[in-house]
């Protein structure tokens, strides 16, 4: 059961009251939407060419900001190798990215084959009017994954100065970053970062940083997938060994039962019952072994 504020846990004679859980805050309101007509792509980058040191011909160099971004990549790597649980690791990474890029929300999206749609795997959002809101464009994610390109998009109509008539204003997304991630040897994940109701869009440097971090997070998620597959295979192998051992154990018991029954049948045919007690005792003993019920005071065979 998930703990919540106010829960009381008793350990022996000690009572522990749960208070101040971060998870007691309302969960983010997550929505998938189609692309808005006013959204435009400002820059794109092949996710395989993500390189913070490569620079861009269209942006002015900002050495201090690039150093800050490089430090941010290192901090993301440090978070992912810490000993925390995978859920808290991804949440910490998204919190760090959101703070570094001065964003309002960040999320990891994974493709769900069963639902045939994108799924919010991890979310970090700044509360607005009491509830964190995360809205991402399904169309933009599909385009980024299909083309293998990290995208920087902007919607000037999202500025509050333009009024609430356009659908993008309802979602309040003014600028977005979307970078694909390779998981299970395919591009079936994406890192999405949004700003709401802001006049300033993300920069091409922000795009390069996002693409770089998406590659790192993709490698991390792929490692988790391989670990899960390995654990699953190990469990199946262990189950197979147990079944093989039980089969051998049962075969020995059945062999003992067959010998005892055959002996009893021979005695019945000859009408000579000198060893019948031994055959009956043997059958009873094998039955106890088969049902794992040892004699009183004796250890079980298995």
């Amino acid at each position: 059961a998930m703990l919540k504020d106010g829960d009381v846990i008793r350990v022996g004679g000690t009572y522990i009251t749960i208070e101040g859980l971060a998870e007691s805050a309302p969960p983010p309101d997550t929505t998938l939407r189609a692309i808005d007509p006013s959204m435009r792509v400002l820059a794109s980058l092949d996710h395989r060419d993500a390189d913070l040191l490569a620079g861009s011909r269209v942006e002015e160099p900002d050495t201090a900001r690039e150093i800050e971004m490089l430090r941010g990549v290192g901090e993301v790597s440090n978070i992912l190798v810490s000993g925390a649980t995978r859920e808290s690791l991804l949440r910490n990474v998204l919190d760090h990215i959101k703070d570094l890029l001065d964003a309002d929300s960040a999320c990891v999206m994974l493709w769900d084959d069963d639902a045939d749609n994108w799924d919010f795997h991890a979310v970090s959002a700044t509360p607005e009017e009491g509830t964190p809101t995360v809205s991402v464009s399904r169309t933009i994610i599909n385009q980024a994954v299909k083309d293998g390109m990290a995208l920087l998009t902007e919607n000037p109509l999202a500025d509050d100065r333009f009024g609430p008539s356009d659908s993008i204003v309802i979602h309040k997304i003014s600028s977005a970053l979307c970078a694909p991630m390779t998981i299970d040897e395919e591009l079936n994940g994406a890192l999405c970062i949004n700003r709401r109701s802001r006049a300033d869009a993300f920069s091409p440097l922000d795009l390069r940083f996002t693409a770089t971090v998406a590659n790192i997070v993709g490698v991390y998620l792929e490692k988790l997938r391989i670990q899960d597959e390995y654990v699953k295979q190990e469990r199946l192998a262990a189950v197979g060994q147990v079944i093989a051992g039980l089969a051998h154990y049962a075969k020995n018991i059945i062999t003992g039962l067959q010998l005892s029954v055959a002996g009893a049948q021979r005695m019945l045919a000859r009408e000579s019952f000198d060893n019948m007690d031994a055959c009956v005792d043997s059958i009873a003993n094998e039955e106890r072994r088969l049902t794992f019920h040892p004699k009183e005071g004796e250890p079980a065979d298995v």
Side-chain angles (χ1 to χ4, degrees), residues 173-196:
I173 303 302
S174 56
S175 185
L177 295 163
C178 181
M181 297 187 301
T182 301
I183 307 168
D184 196 9
E185 299 182 354
E186 295 182 1
L187 289 172
N188 53 15
L191 175 61
C192 301
I193 304 168
N194 292 331
R195 281 179 180 170
R196 296 192 298 261

Side-chain angles (χ1 to χ4, degrees), residues 181-237:
M181 297 187 301
T182 301
I183 307 168
D184 196 9
E185 299 182 354
E186 295 182 1
L187 289 172
N188 53 15
L191 175 61
C192 301
I193 304 168
N194 292 331
R195 281 179 180 170
R196 296 192 298 261
S197 302
R198 305 270 286 277
D200 55 328
F202 290 111
S203 70
L205 178 58
D206 297 333
L207 177 64
R208 288 190 280 126
F209 170 79
T210 302
T212 303
V213 171
N215 288 338
I216 296 174
V217 174
V219 170
Y220 169 73
L221 292 176
E222 175 68 4
K223 183 193 75 170
L224 293 182
R225 185 193 67 81
I226 295 174
Q227 286 179 344
D228 290 341
E229 287 293 327
Y230 176 78
V231 170
K232 186 184 300 183
Q233 292 174 3
E234 287 292 303
R235 287 175 177 172
L236 289 175

